[in-house]
Amino acid sequence: MRKLLSILLLLCSVTLAFAVTALHLSPEHLDPKDDIELLLEITQAAENVAAVNIHYRLLGESIWLSKAMQQDQPGSVFWRGEIPRSVVANNEFEYRFEMQLSSGNTEYLPLDDGKTYFTINPNSPSGTQTDGFVLLSDESSISADDGYVLAVSFLALADDIDPHSIKVYVGGRDVTKQAQITGDVLVYRDEKPRAGIQKAMIVANVEGKELYSDTWITQILPGTGRSGIPFKLRGNVNFSAHIYAESSDDLTYSVAKDDYRTWADLYGNYGILDLQTNLLISSLEDSHAQPVNRFTFGLQLPVLDVFVGDYSPNLSNYTLSGKNIRGIYASLHSEYLALSFAHGESMRKTKSEGNLAQGIPKSGTFKQEALGARLSMGRDNGFRIGFSGSRHRDVVSSLDEQYYRYQTSSGDTLYSVMAQDNAVIGVDARLNVPEQHVLMGFEMAGSITNKNTIPGPMTSEEWEDYLDLDLLGLEIDPEDYADLFVINKNMQPFLPSMANVAWLAYLRMYVWNNFLNVQYNETGSAFYSLGSYVQPQDTKTLSITDQISIGRLLSLTAGYSTTEDNVTGHKSETNSYQNIFAQAILRIPRYPYLKAAFYDNIGENKANTAIEDSIFVPYNRDSQNFSFGIGYNISQIPYVPTQIDLSYRLGNDFSEHDFTLGQGWETLTDNENSGVSLSMNNRFTMIPLRTQFAYTTAKNKNLILDKSYQNSSFYFKADVSLWQNRIKPYLSYRKTTLKGAYDPQDYANINLGVESFPIKNMTATADLGFKSYANDLDGAKDYDTTTFRICLTQRF
């Protein structure tokens, strides 16, 4: 049932407000001698996606590895990436997509529920399975002291098999060179195998057809002559550098700075102990800016996790979530109780000397400290309740006064930056009933925030004058609590209320072949949390998504969300937005797949009748988009198997305001847009050539001005695999053309490079790129840039 639920979630990419939606189809067939190519299509809000990464790991492991994806061309909805064949060959693995948004948020496909991922078992490569390979060494379990032996007979195929095409894969590695082939028998030996499960497979070309054997599994038991808990190390070490040159610094939008970076991600395992080390060093590190360099050391035991360095703890949605802290994080956990703690620097102090000659004063940023803790009780597969708290404080003493306060010519005191105090406490509960496929929960948090702690705390006399506390019978001296929180008139608001509160509730369930996700959240106008990504203040949002899937054949996903501000009723108008979306994909094995999507976004405002003498200007906004497409993996072409994907999009964007306050509406925008995207991959079987084409065109017509804007982009890439895929020279060309109401312009990019694999598990890439800009009406604006890039990666 878990796998069935996983299938239902594969294409579910909707976040709370449907910021980004995406489609992905897992590959049907894999070849262990090739990297695993993945294609992701952003179907909505593609312009908000800054980067996409693939996270992957072998099934049963806890550590994710990462690989960046590449966009076909700027503005394209297609992102492509590869998982190295040497990492997952012949092993079942799972993966997900991490979409980094320009806002700083991160979204995942499938939804980040901690359970559901795309799963692939590459034991069924492309081609046809045959029983012509007969296993002679049929021991199902052996001792590591005896060594591992793979003996296979292919007598039935001996007359037709191409002996040079035989590939032997053991434990996910190509061991063909270490195998011995004598007549119609193949033998591979490993005198010192590692304990665990060993998988083996043979692939060969017989009469021009690709055939593969069964997957043979052998359990290797720890021997007496070696440690029963060997230390396992994996990961990667990398180095990259970029060198830039521009024909004219004045014409380019920005002058890139030469840079280099080196980074390493190492993971070790020794029995129940897991170790993790992450390091990034970049030449872009600048003491006058926030850190670029990163380092992390982690230690994990069944009941204890400790991370030192840069870490992003996730205590709860409203306290600490997704923000980097340089310090220490520790979590002590058992089946029924867990205690987490985080402390460190969330922002470092910076200083800028300014330029007195140009009238630019000195400025800086305070060092900001973060502290968080969480206590949770209960079981993950039952009822769990948690209590969380966080505090962020700008340390005023970390920065000299001259970098944040100065006097104007009139004698006024101004702050170029203000120090803040922020504290958040929250409670959350969750009920998980796996047998019924039901998950429900809620979270509530309250915050207090001081927007300027530089003046210091109030005195007890100022406190009593500001609030008539004698009526309450309270005696409080704010100076006594200054080490915990600075209390003065800059607190927003001064006294806690529902405006300081944020809460959410959710329900996820699988019922009647549907995966249903309902969530409601409400945030007060004065709720601030410096430890989590910015919550839309003074808003409430309801989102509902539903998905039904019939195996891998059909997937239907639909959703509705509504967002409304002015929860506290303090503003003169209330803005509301409704979003509706639906997308479907039909995939029949060995036939083309069909896909379609529809989005409708409506916005309007209403007057707040509780506030008098306010100017209210009503407006209406409506944008609709519809897309449909077809794709096919054309394996029937004998010499050039081709994968093709074609999409067509059309839509409109309309808005109007009533500036005359009831006397008539004025149309502000009325646009029609359409576009076509074509992507095609070709693999040649007779020659080691692979080509990739992508074409995108978009048109926007302004019906009010009767003007049209057009842009088109063409992308081509070809690479050749030489010396058994050890060297891959490639050439890519991209051209983007802008036409219509603005000056005709062209951007052209050419990249020449080579990707090589000089030694085991090492990848070396060198790339020389040329970019040119041409303005057809004004040649004085033309410019050229050159970029040279190298990258070295060593995997363990």
Side-chain angles (χ1 to χ4, degrees), residues 628-689:
F628 58 89
I630 184 173
Y632 190 36
N633 188 5
I634 313 174
S635 58
Q636 293 88 343
I637 302 178
Y639 301 111
V640 191
T642 300
Q643 181 182 356
I644 188 170
D645 190 290
L646 175 66
S647 299
Y648 176 73
R649 295 172 173 81
L650 70 160
N652 61 73
D653 181 11
F654 176 81
S655 69
E656 58 182 357
H657 280 65
D658 184 4
F659 292 104
T660 56
L661 305 182
Q663 299 180 18
W665 290 84
E666 178 181 350
T667 301
L668 294 184
T669 61
D670 192 0
N671 301 317
E672 293 180 349
N673 58 78
S674 60
V676 176
S677 298
L678 173 65
S679 174
M680 182 169 62
N681 273 5
N682 304 293
R683 286 184 176 273
F684 293 77
T685 58
M686 302 297 293
I687 56 176
L689 174 66

Side-chain angles (χ1 to χ4, degrees), residues 423-573:
V424 183
I425 57 173
V427 59
D428 62 271
R430 190 182 77 170
L431 176 62
N432 186 8
V433 188
E435 297 80 6
Q436 304 299 323
H437 306 293
V438 173
L439 176 68
M440 63 180 69
F442 84 95
E443 179 178 350
M444 177 176 288
S447 73
I448 54 174
T449 303
N450 191 321
K451 286 294 185 177
N452 186 8
T453 64
I454 296 175
M458 305 170 69
T459 64
S460 57
E461 291 79 10
E462 291 173 329
W463 170 269
E464 293 176 359
D465 291 341
Y466 196 65
L467 293 175
D468 191 5
L469 294 180
D470 290 338
L471 298 177
L472 302 177
L474 298 177
E475 294 183 3
I476 296 178
D477 188 351
E479 294 179 332
D480 294 338
Y481 303 95
D483 291 337
L484 296 176
F485 196 88
V486 174
I487 301 175
N488 60 30
K489 297 180 181 180
N490 298 314
M491 293 174 60
Q492 298 184 3
F494 191 81
L495 291 178
S497 66
M498 288 302 298
N500 298 77
V501 175
W503 67 277
L504 64 86
Y506 58 88
L507 168 66
R508 298 174 187 171
M509 59 188 304
Y510 168 52
V511 57
W512 298 331
N513 206 34
N514 290 307
F515 178 73
L516 181 65
N517 187 359
V518 181
Q519 180 159 321
Y520 178 84
N521 64 284
E522 189 170 311
T523 307
S525 59
F527 180 83
Y528 298 92
S529 177
L530 300 183
S532 62
Y533 286 110
V534 177
Q535 306 288 334
Q537 293 177 315
D538 202 20
T539 61
K540 56 184 179 182
T541 300
L542 170 68
S543 67
I544 304 173
T545 63
D546 190 19
Q547 180 179 11
I548 180 171
S549 296
I550 304 176
R552 293 173 59 89
L553 179 67
L554 176 66
S555 177
L556 300 173
T557 309
Y560 169 80
S561 76
T562 176
T563 300
E564 184 176 300
D565 66 0
N566 199 22
V567 175
T568 55
H570 294 159
K571 294 187 292 188
S572 61
E573 65 181 57

Side-chain angles (χ1 to χ4, degrees), residues 86-290:
S86 60
V87 177
V88 297
N90 278 354
N91 291 286
E92 191 172 1
F93 67 96
E94 55 191 7
Y95 66 95
R96 66 182 180 182
F97 298 97
E98 177 195 54
M99 295 172 284
Q100 299 177 358
L101 309 186
S102 53
S103 64
N105 292 349
T106 299
E107 297 183 8
Y108 293 93
L109 177 69
L111 284 175
D112 187 21
D113 64 352
K115 298 180 180 180
T116 308
Y117 311 104
F118 296 101
T119 304
I120 290 182
N121 187 346
N123 288 333
S124 298
S126 60
T128 304
Q129 187 174 4
T130 178
D131 56 4
F133 295 101
V134 179
L135 181 65
L136 302 179
S137 53
D138 57 354
E139 298 90 348
S140 60
S141 178
I142 63 172
S143 170
D145 292 336
D146 299 331
Y148 173 78
V149 177
L150 175 69
V152 179
S153 169
F154 50 93
L155 178 62
L157 307 173
D159 295 335
D160 303 316
I161 196 170
D162 178 3
H164 300 290
S165 68
I166 297 176
K167 296 291 183 183
V168 184
Y169 298 95
V170 176
R173 298 183 299 114
D174 184 349
V175 297
T176 307
K177 291 185 177 181
Q178 289 76 43
Q180 296 179 353
I181 302 177
T182 305
D184 53 19
V185 176
L186 179 151
V187 178
Y188 166 77
R189 292 182 175 85
D190 185 357
E191 300 296 340
K192 297 181 179 180
R194 285 188 174 183
I197 299 298
Q198 192 77 287
K199 296 182 181 181
M201 175 193 290
I202 296 177
V203 178
N205 191 294
V206 180
E207 293 185 330
K209 296 182 179 179
E210 192 87 357
L211 300 181
Y212 61 90
S213 69
D214 294 331
T215 299
W216 301 299
I217 300 176
T218 303
Q219 182 180 15
I220 301 177
L221 303 175
T224 58
R226 56 187 297 149
S227 173
I229 48 173
F231 180 76
K232 298 179 181 179
L233 177 67
R234 60 187 177 87
N236 56 81
V237 178
N238 311 267
F239 172 82
S240 70
H242 296 81
I243 301 175
Y244 303 93
E246 294 86 12
S247 61
S248 175
D249 295 347
D250 297 330
L251 295 178
T252 54
Y253 288 106
S254 62
V255 180
K257 182 181 179 182
D258 297 347
D259 70 90
Y260 73 86
R261 62 170 53 191
T262 181
W263 68 101
D265 300 296
L266 302 177
Y267 305 94
N269 173 264
Y270 186 78
I272 63 173
L273 175 64
D274 290 328
L275 299 173
Q276 173 180 339
T277 300
N278 308 96
L279 175 68
L280 169 65
I281 299 176
S282 172
S283 62
L284 299 179
E285 174 75 9
D286 186 351
S287 61
H288 298 295
Q290 293 308 308

